[in-house]
Amino acid sequence: MNKAELITAAAEKAGITRKDAEKAISAALEVITEELVAGERVSIVGFGSFDVKTRGERVGRNPRTREEITIAASRVPQFKAGKALKDAVAK
């Protein structure tokens, strides 16, 4: 399912227009992104939580030359599914 399909499904399920569903979903994703950029955690009870994980600097290899290279430290988004979501998927 892509974003357009999600918007259509949400509009049908909520009984609202596709345009209103698009505004709501886009706003929610924007807020989640802004909070993660600020280093905050976003927790949605029953669904899961979004967090930012810091990866340390590490040594890797260039696959072409086999030369060792240093991979810089970075921050990456992380999602952890909540119990209700895990249980629903497991059925």
Side-chain angles (χ1 to χ4, degrees):
M1 175 179 278
N2 61 29
K3 187 176 178 182
E5 293 168 340
L6 176 63
I7 290 168
T8 301
E12 288 174 7
K13 199 144 191 104
I16 58 176
T17 66
R18 194 176 180 287
K19 192 171 189 174
D20 288 341
E22 181 177 5
K23 284 181 187 178
I25 290 173
S26 293
L29 295 175
E30 190 175 314
V31 169
I32 291 170
T33 302
E34 289 170 357
E35 289 299 310
L36 292 177
V37 168
E40 298 296 322
R41 183 177 189 193
V42 178
S43 183
I44 303 170
V45 176
F47 184 71
S49 59
F50 298 90
D51 207 353
V52 177
K53 178 182 176 185
T54 303
R55 285 188 183 165
E57 187 176 273
R58 60 194 192 277
V59 176
R61 288 200 180 271
N62 180 331
R64 288 187 181 176
T65 64
R66 299 282 184 208
E67 177 186 344
E68 282 192 356
I69 57 173
T70 302
I71 302 169
S74 62
R75 292 173 12 130
V76 293
Q78 175 181 344
F79 175 75
K80 183 175 180 186
K83 184 175 181 346
L85 179 58
K86 287 180 187 177
D87 292 345
V89 171
K91 289 183 181 177

